[in-house]
Amino acid sequence: MAYDQTMEIPASPENSPGSSVDVSRLPLPPGSSGLPLLGETLAFIRDSGKFLEERRRLHGDVFRSHVLGEPIVFLVGPEANRWIFAGENKYLRNRWHLSARKLLGKQSVAMINGSAHLDRRRLLAPHFTYATMRHFVPRIEALVHQHLEQWFSAKQPFKAVDAVRALVFEVAIVLLVGESRVDAAYMSRLFKRWVAGLFSAVPVDIPFTTFGRGVAAEKEMREYLTPLVAEREKLAEQPPDTLGSLLSARDEQGQPLPRDTVLDELQLLLFAGHDTTVTATSNLMMMLAQHPEVLERCRREQQELAEKGPLTLESLRAMPYLHQVIQEVMRVIPPVAGAFRVTTEDVAYGGYRIPKGWQISLSIRGTHRGAPWTSPERFDPDRMGSERNEQKSQGAYIPFGGGPRVCVGQHFAMVEMAVVAALLLRGYQWELVPGQDLSLIPFPIPLPCDGLLVRFSRR
Ligand code: HEM
């Protein structure tokens, strides 16, 4: 089943051309600016989920606050999401938090805006379509087999999150730079330090701080990747991987992308696709173990498949229930809780004025826990099936975001997760070690606190 979150979002009436709303007369959204300077930052960082739910109960789906040094308006729900997606490059611009702004390459797709962003998306799009994933299925399958056998040979309980992390990293390297001589273990260590820096609350570059170590790791990663890119630049024909497409791209004057831009993009893609896929895959394993009736239905689906040989896009498509389960896991625990934008003019939303330069928070987690979802706290994969189809309202189901910034790697992630899950279901079983803390880390990524300790065996 191909999963596709559309980029086309209808505009909202309040901001459509010719709207008669006089923005300057509208009140600010309800809420509090908190303490001088600090605002409500501490409560937000401590537990952003609780922060959102408490204020939502008090003020509804539109409220203001002051976090991370800036005024912000939180918007929750499908309608708000449609307004945010429609506003990109009109009344809104993308905005990353300060650490990410300092550590992600300035020329990567996530950092650029306007027509440069659209051009880059056009360049990347052909390499991330559902159909393109066909080449990767056998390569992903081979890597997953290899890793699952290593898990099995451990013979004693291990942290599934760490094991999934190693697997996802190696798969990402293959997609990005091919079966090259990249030392995945070395890169993975650097990557971990870099990502920790990306989420650090205090982005001051002092050695031995999380941010300082992140800066050093980013530099080392770049030094490692630079000769690899330089060598690939010399090839007359590029292999079919993302680096190949970045190096083959030409602008209107026939010029290639500068090497620094290629490096920015490679690092960004590695970052954007890693912890997200690790979180969804680990939480899928956890939820299957916690819901034996769902696990049983998934196993039955695998047994009943007509095609039992190597996996293909067609055989993956013939697993609708598994896809419903993956989708429901990402509804209950979205790997990305939300994203930020900034207003580029005074705007009206929901009868309120949002001044120019304020941050806007897109809330994926909040959206997945409100209307139109029935009993949203229940893990219920049937809600994703064609009969109930609860996700049909546009903007209600947004694990991959939406609009012009919808996730570039959504098909890659869905295919990879389906391959991992199918091979797990066919050949292995796993139990959660009792007594561990399965509650989710509140920030930055919702993974089980103890790393998901599992006992793993063959079926
Ligand atoms: C389960 C896995 C994944 C989830 C849940 C996820 C989620 C998201 C979300 C919510 C956004 C939108 C952020 C925003 O609106 O600012 C996004 C953007 C992005 N994702 Fe993913 N992602 C996943 C996997 C991947 C993979 C595997 C790749 C690449 C190989 C990738 C590459 C990107 C890129 C480059 C962007 C930025 C797009 C832009 O700014 O135009 N993601 N992702």
Side-chain angles (χ1 to χ4, degrees):
M1 184 203 289
Y3 178 79
D4 206 350
Q5 197 115 40
T6 176
M7 283 177 73
E8 298 301 324
I9 302 283
S12 125
E14 271 177 316
N15 273 74
S16 53
S19 158
S20 58
V21 176
D22 179 357
V23 179
S24 65
R25 300 175 76 91
L26 297 174
L28 291 175
S32 157
S33 299
L35 299 167
L37 292 177
L38 257 184
E40 298 189 302
T41 304
L42 293 181
F44 178 73
I45 288 183
R46 209 175 300 127
D47 189 339
S48 60
K50 196 167 152 215
F51 175 95
L52 188 88
E53 286 315 318
E54 282 174 0
R55 282 152 187 80
R56 206 175 160 193
R57 266 196 299 277
L58 215 59
H59 307 299
D61 283 345
V62 185
F63 62 89
R64 81 186 141 85
S65 177
H66 199 282
V67 300
L68 303 167
E70 291 175 80
I72 180 164
V73 173
F74 286 84
L75 300 178
V76 191
E79 191 196 325
N81 300 336
R82 292 196 294 269
W83 181 81
I84 294 173
F85 299 147
E88 188 85 35
N89 297 327
K90 294 181 194 139
Y91 41 89
L92 298 176
R93 216 163 40 80
N94 199 25
R95 171 68 152 260
W96 284 78
H97 56 278
L98 195 56
S99 315
R101 291 210 294 276
K102 289 187 173 183
L103 272 179
L104 286 178
K106 293 199 171 18
Q107 290 309 316
S108 65
V109 66
M111 287 295 165
I112 53 182
N113 282 292
S115 58
H117 173 250
L118 293 177
D119 287 348
R120 187 69 55 77
R121 291 286 308 216
R122 269 192 284 274
L123 179 93
L124 292 173
H127 308 282
F128 286 91
T129 60
Y130 180 67
T132 322
M133 296 306 135
R134 182 175 299 284
H135 310 296
F136 290 111
V137 175
R139 297 158 89 184
I140 298 175
E141 182 173 9
L143 278 172
V144 176
H145 265 308
Q146 210 177 301
H147 278 252
L148 295 187
E149 278 305 291
Q150 281 166 17
W151 297 9
F152 168 65
S153 64
K155 303 287 181 215
Q156 46 191 336
F158 58 86
K159 290 186 177 181
V161 170
D162 290 345
V164 170
R165 205 180 275 291
L167 163 62
V168 168
F169 195 80
E170 210 171 330
V171 171
I173 292 281
V174 168
L175 171 82
L176 296 179
V177 290
E179 324 272 2
S180 67
R181 297 152 292 114
V182 170
D183 181 344
Y186 167 71
M187 277 282 285
S188 159
R189 281 194 300 277
L190 293 177
F191 179 79
K192 218 170 159 183
R193 271 186 269 147
W194 175 53
V195 173
L198 273 165
F199 289 113
S200 76
V202 191
V204 182
D205 185 7
I206 301 173
F208 312 117
T209 59
T210 307
F211 186 76
R213 281 203 302 270
V215 172
E218 192 276 336
K219 195 161 164 266
E220 205 173 324
M221 268 174 83
R222 215 169 173 90
E223 280 166 9
Y224 183 81
L225 287 171
T226 302
L228 193 126
V229 173
E231 224 172 274
R232 286 278 301 265
E233 279 170 346
K234 293 182 201 141
L235 297 182
E237 200 171 322
Q238 288 295 331
D241 51 36
T242 308
L243 176 56
S245 41
L246 290 168
L247 291 174
S248 316
R250 294 290 177 268
D251 67 14
E252 281 161 9
Q253 283 76 45
Q255 293 303 310
L257 288 175
R259 190 184 293 165
D260 269 348
T261 303
V262 171
L263 285 161
D264 280 359
E265 207 64 276
L266 276 183
Q267 286 184 317
L268 182 268
L269 288 166
L270 206 53
F271 159 68
H274 186 69
D275 280 335
T276 45
T277 313
V278 170
T279 305
T281 310
S282 306
N283 290 332
L284 171 68
M285 286 181 73
M286 177 172 76
M287 298 195 95
L288 283 174
Q290 288 172 325
H291 296 86
E293 68 297 346
V294 175
L295 177 67
E296 198 37 50
R297 261 179 83 180
C298 286
R299 288 211 201 273
R300 256 203 325 273
E301 184 178 65
Q302 294 299 318
Q303 277 158 10
E304 286 163 8
L305 281 177
E307 222 186 294
K308 294 245 168 26
L311 292 170
T312 58
L313 274 192
E314 285 67 33
S315 64
L316 292 174
R317 238 197 309 257
M319 304 172 191
Y321 187 64
L322 177 59
H323 283 84
Q324 282 171 226
V325 174
I326 296 174
Q327 288 182 326
E328 177 68 347
V329 168
M330 289 197 294
R331 184 192 65 81
V332 178
I333 316 174
V336 178
F340 296 101
R341 303 287 188 266
V342 63
T343 51
T344 51
E345 57 187 75
D346 284 6
V347 278
Y349 180 78
Y352 299 111
R353 171 170 57 92
I354 309 177
K356 178 180 175 180
W358 280 35
Q359 286 190 87
I360 299 286
S361 159
L362 164 77
S363 176
I364 299 176
R365 183 169 42 196
T367 300
H368 289 182
R369 290 186 189 173
W373 301 102
T374 52
S375 310
E377 64 298 335
R378 259 189 45 223
F379 176 67
D380 177 10
D382 281 327
R383 68 170 87 241
M384 297 292 181
S386 52
E387 258 171 51
R388 279 169 56 194
N389 199 12
E390 285 187 27
Q391 83 273 39
K392 63 178 176 290
S393 149
Q394 211 176 18
Y397 183 65
I398 52 163
F400 293 111
R405 287 202 182 262
V406 71
C407 178
V408 169
Q410 58 178 313
H411 299 301
F412 183 66
M414 286 303 284
V415 165
E416 180 175 359
M417 289 188 284
V419 171
V420 175
L423 296 184
L424 275 171
L425 290 162
R426 289 173 181 195
Y428 302 90
Q429 51 198 28
W430 62 100
E431 286 163 36
L432 304 183
V433 173
Q436 64 179 306
D437 185 355
L438 291 172
S439 60
L440 303 172
I441 301 166
F443 183 83
I445 36 172
L447 282 166
C449 282
D450 283 348
L452 196 67
L453 279 162
V454 294
R455 230 182 287 280
F456 197 77
S457 54
R458 269 215 192 93
R459 294 185 70 219

